[in-house]
Amino acid sequence: MIIAIDGPAGSGKSTIAKNTAHKLGFRYLDTGAMYRAIAVRARDLGIDFDDGEQLCVIACNEPIEFGFSDDEPLPSRVFIAQKEVTDEIRRPEIDKAVSPVSAHRSVRKALVDQQRKISQLGDYVVEGRDIGTVVFPDAPVKIFLTANAEERARRRTAQNLERDIDSSYEGVLQDLRARDQYDSSRAVSPLVAADDAVTLDSTMMTIDYVTNLIVELARQAQASE
Ligand code: DC
């Protein structure tokens, strides 16, 4: 079974998707990390983020792999071209580069193919922007997670601090708004809720509350399978 969790940056998607996967014993796929890995690889090779053709060469030929840290039940390490990019993909310059990179149709096609292949391995919680609309339109559980921009910026700033990434609340808020605008208005697979998704606004909800709601929806879907 696939549980699709989509939503904008900072909506709590990653934490909630991981907790949900952990509670249900499902695997977990972070598709944003895949777009980020392409952006890191392009930067390292000196490829322009607007050069769809060259970006496609990377996305089509260099599969992205995930790995586990010693103490983690779910994979959080990311590799491309045999090189670990786990920390690099979270850097502020990659935050900025990843939206234009992910807007190329050819890059999306290559990564969607990879995402469908990976998820054949079993039950998965898959998080991203187009999981319920494009990657797995038949997923039995689809969640569209939102939160207001200020709350999302507060969460992302705190996360950056934990990761030792220098950032200011104002800068993060500005960047989130720019990315929301870019991701929601791009021509290919824009960030929108699927018609049959359950929309949850996490601004005033705890991580645990939202996780339990999704786990409940998944159990109901399992029972009716
Ligand atoms: O979830 P994230 O912030 O790590 O995602 C990084 C970027 O990748 C985001 O700006 C939009 C893009 N993305 C996408 O277009 N489609 C996905 N399924 C996942 C992420």
Side-chain angles (χ1 to χ4, degrees), residues 36 39 49 91-101 171-172 174-175 178-179 182:
R36 287 170 179 273
F49 301 130
R91 298 199 60 77
E93 78 261 23
I94 298 302
D95 278 348
K96 289 201 171 60
V98 67
S99 278
V101 166
V172 170
Q174 219 177 15
D175 182 49
R179 261 206 301 152
Y182 202 115

Side-chain angles (χ1 to χ4, degrees), residues 9 13 30-33 35-36 90 98-99 102 108 115 127-131 156 179 183 186:
K13 264 190 338 274
D30 174 1
T31 62
Y35 289 95
R36 287 170 179 273
R90 304 293 165 197
V98 67
S99 278
S102 66
R108 300 202 69 82
Q115 290 155 16
E127 65 148 299
R129 301 291 191 290
D130 60 341
I131 309 306
R156 192 44 68 94
R179 261 206 301 152
D183 294 342
R186 69 180 174 219

